[in-house]
Amino acid sequence: RQLLAKAGLDGADLGGASVGGSFAAEMAAIFPGTVKRLVLLAPFGLFDEKEPPTDPWAQRSDNVAALMCADPENWKKLIAPPDGANSVEWPIEMTRAAEAAARAFWPLGNTQLARRLPLIEAPTLIVWGDQDRVQPVSYTRTFASGIKGKTTIQTIPGAGHLADLDQPEVVARAILGWLG
């Protein structure tokens, strides 16, 4: 919240994907004046015992790519060391980032976000890949029905949990079209 305020972004549009989507939803719920419109791309934060999410942090590393993206090559490109990265430090940085995200959501999905969804007043776009293997597509309805503000759901064909990696142009068009 302080970062948004210091950057002069209070009342701006806010969005996030996966873990970031959950943080964006929390921000919109707890500090509604900081968010004009909200975009959530398959956010974490909910847990349904009938359709539990898959814990990506409890998977063998060779299973994660196909879990996160409809096209596993997109995940492999994401985690590949960027040009100039220290080959020794890069895997350590990736492990630390994954560990930080896992700690925020342990036990998986038990953040009680469902209780705070009614506090979200901002118009909200919920974007979900139709091949999401982490969070069931049915969670879109749970998010939409819980949010007080007007919600729109956009399902992205041929996309997994990280729809923005699988179908970046389609996701961008959906978001920009909704933001109008």
Side-chain angles (χ1 to χ4, degrees):
R1 179 173 182 250
Q2 291 175 351
L3 177 65
L4 290 176
K6 288 183 180 185
L9 295 174
D10 266 346
D13 298 328
L14 184 63
S18 189
V19 170
S22 180
F23 292 141
E26 293 284 3
M27 189 72 147
I30 298 168
F31 305 107
T34 63
V35 180
K36 179 180 175 185
R37 293 176 292 190
L38 181 63
V39 177
L40 302 175
L41 285 85
F44 274 95
L46 299 182
F47 187 87
D48 182 346
E49 287 184 16
K50 295 174 188 157
E51 287 189 278
T54 301
D55 186 342
W57 301 286
Q59 306 299 313
R60 290 175 26 153
S61 62
D62 57 339
N63 293 334
V64 174
L67 187 64
M68 299 303 284
C69 294
D71 179 354
E73 290 305 312
N74 291 328
W75 175 258
K76 292 174 186 174
K77 289 176 196 171
L78 174 71
I79 65 168
D83 291 338
N86 182 313
S87 62
V88 173
E89 291 180 9
W90 181 253
I92 295 168
E93 290 176 25
M94 294 298 292
T95 300
R96 286 183 177 157
E99 181 180 296
R103 286 178 188 265
F105 294 97
W106 185 258
L108 183 65
N110 193 18
T111 67
Q112 304 300 317
L113 177 57
R115 292 181 180 178
R116 292 179 294 283
L117 288 177
L119 301 174
I120 298 175
E121 298 176 0
T124 303
L125 172 64
I126 301 167
V127 179
W128 224 274
D130 71 345
Q131 297 178 30
D132 191 330
R133 295 180 194 100
V134 176
Q135 303 237 104
V137 176
S138 64
Y139 280 40
T140 59
R141 292 186 303 278
T142 307
F143 271 99
S145 66
I147 293 172
K148 181 179 180 180
K150 182 180 186 262
T151 59
T152 302
I153 296 172
Q154 178 74 45
T155 303
I156 307 298
H161 183 66
L162 299 177
D164 50 323
L165 287 183
D166 281 322
Q167 301 291 340
E169 294 86 12
V170 176
V171 170
R173 278 195 305 273
I175 293 170
L176 292 173
W178 180 77
L179 291 171

